[in-house]
Amino acid sequence: MREHLHSCAHPRTYYIRTFGCQMNAHDSEVIAGLLEELGYKRALTPETADLVLLNTCCVRANAENRLYGHLGNLKPLKEENPDRIIGVCGCLVQQPGEEEKIREEFPHVDLVFGTHNLHRLPALLAQLEATKSRVFEIWQEGEREEDLPVRRESPFKAWVNIIYGCNNFCSYCIVPYVRGREQSRRPAKILEEVRALAADGVKEVTLLGQNVNSYGKDLPAGERIDFADLLRQVNEVDGLSRIRFQTSHPKDLSSKLIRQMAAGDKICEHLHLPVQAGSNRVLAAMNRQYTREHYLKLVEELRATVPGIAITTDIIVGFPGEEEEDFLQTLDLVEKAAFDSAYTFAYSPRKGTKAASLPNQVPQEIRMERLYRLIELVDTLAKKSNKRLEGEVVTVLVEGPSAKREDIYAGYTRTNKQVLFPRPDPEEDLTGREIPVLIEEGLSHTLYGKVMTGKEETAHS
Ligand code: SAH
Ligand code: SF4
Ligand code: F3S
């Protein structure tokens, strides 16, 4: 393999496919950064890459199934070019038994590493080249290294890790097992990164963690600040215009943080606050540590303190033991909270979690039936909230041409709603700019509008 790689006239190329959440996607950016430091160039397809890497997720069974389907499909690519490196990393490989499964059932996989040792990638690639045999290295824990290179997907939007891992152990969730315990980054390091991003022209940062509201609890006494304090400091960074964060746990969402959201001019009027269920019995069985009443009080406080805030959520239906009565409580809470949108999931048992071994699993048909009923309600509420914006002018950060049409731009409001609008001038690229858009139509998932030109603004004022 070494001879081949060194005799290559073209530079080595890589292709990474990401299966998971924002943290997983941001890990892919770090992995890409490490590879580019080694001289690798990005390939646009797996077929044209010397290194194909799958960054996996195991939060639900379908994420896992997609990965194994995909991995099987890579076999012909390995056969076609035995020097091509096929790698698997991310959350899935941290599960017990997964390493052996890949080793035995997928002999075309050359490289496996986990979530705690991604900084080891250059050393593992060197080992692979030197030994010409498969390299599997998974750590059960480890401190995330600072100052790793990052190859960001967008020049004007960036993810910034603030806390790794999770201590909550919601009874359905695999994340604490595959990501380890909470580890807050030093505030100075976070601010240094955000300042560098702003200096580089980044407009929007999203602070990432499984539970950002736990930020700081594990910091050394002299450096201990909480998440609200961190937000205040990030808000002071010049050059940024939008600050987002994800994810918040309702049990740790403080009034101080809500007030800070209102006080920080750059902090977007959007909160993703996963509720998971609307029945207190189910919430307790999920180990969520709050009640529906507490959640609804938070919603009320948020709406009263942060004008125009959009609230979105995650909901699981069909948790073990969930009765029709419990599910109706979820529908009721969704209606009362009037969510702007929601990610909805049918419960998926994860091996090793407490909920997976509960006796009263809900049959698949009932899970699906509840899921469809929930989606219908969520869509109705989303449409209602988007309809209210018709006739209003919103500020949109332009992402670029929409997925389907070059002449239609897509962007996001501060409330994290997607807006599509015709490109006003084919000569002028508005990508990365914040512009006023008049909303003409609001549907469940998208707003449609047109750019306000200077002229119209004068006419209206
Ligand atoms: N840390 C975040 C998100 C974790 S995973 C949080 O605390 O909210 C993202 C979402 O996946 C969760 O909010 C939950 O709604 C869903 N999820 C997690 N485990 C699941 C499971 N076993 N079955 C179905 N959905 C699940
Ligand atoms: Fe999973 Fe709960 Fe931790 Fe979120 S807070 S990652 S749902 S255990
Ligand atoms: Fe994210 Fe999936 Fe891991 S949701 S933390 S990539 S299990």
Side-chain angles (χ1 to χ4, degrees), residues 18-25 27 55-60 63 90-92 95 115 165 173-176 178-179 210 350:
T18 301
F19 288 80
C21 62
Q22 294 182 340
M23 266 149 284
N24 191 245
D27 283 352
N55 191 8
T56 63
C57 170
C58 54
V59 78
R60 287 171 293 275
C91 293
L92 177 76
Q95 293 194 117
T115 56
C173 186
I174 196 71
V175 170
V178 296
R179 287 272 170 177
Q210 294 298 348
R350 304 283 69 208

Side-chain angles (χ1 to χ4, degrees), residues 438-454:
L438 171 70
I439 300 304
E440 296 173 313
E441 192 181 16
L443 300 182
S444 309
H445 298 284
T446 320
L447 301 165
Y448 296 88
K450 66 170 188 224
V451 175
M452 295 288 286
T453 65

Side-chain angles (χ1 to χ4, degrees), residues 21 23 59-60 166 168 170 172-175 209-211 247-249 272 274 276 288 314-316 343 345-350 353:
C21 62
M23 266 149 284
V59 78
R60 287 171 293 275
C166 180
N168 288 320
C170 302
Y172 51 81
C173 186
I174 196 71
V175 170
Q210 294 298 348
N211 178 12
T247 304
S248 290
H249 194 303
H272 186 66
Q276 312 298 2
R288 290 291 288 179
D314 291 349
I315 304 164
I316 299 175
Y343 292 106
F345 308 105
Y347 168 71
S348 170
R350 304 283 69 208
T353 63

Side-chain angles (χ1 to χ4, degrees), residues 228-291:
D229 294 329
L230 180 72
L231 266 185
R232 182 172 43 74
Q233 295 184 22
V234 174
N235 192 70
E236 281 161 17
V237 175
D238 285 335
L240 286 182
S241 56
R242 293 181 169 193
I243 301 167
R244 302 186 185 281
F245 51 90
Q246 202 164 326
T247 304
S248 290
H249 194 303
K251 81 174 161 58
D252 303 312
L253 180 71
S254 64
S255 296
K256 179 180 171 187
L257 175 59
I258 297 175
R259 284 196 305 273
Q260 185 52 52
M261 285 186 76
D265 58 328
K266 296 168 188 154
I267 304 168
C268 288
E269 296 76 25
H270 169 229
L271 186 67
H272 186 66
L273 192 64
V275 65
Q276 312 298 2
S279 136
N280 284 337
R281 213 173 59 82
V282 173
L283 284 170
M286 287 178 162
N287 190 29
R288 290 291 288 179
Q289 300 176 57
Y290 55 84
T291 59

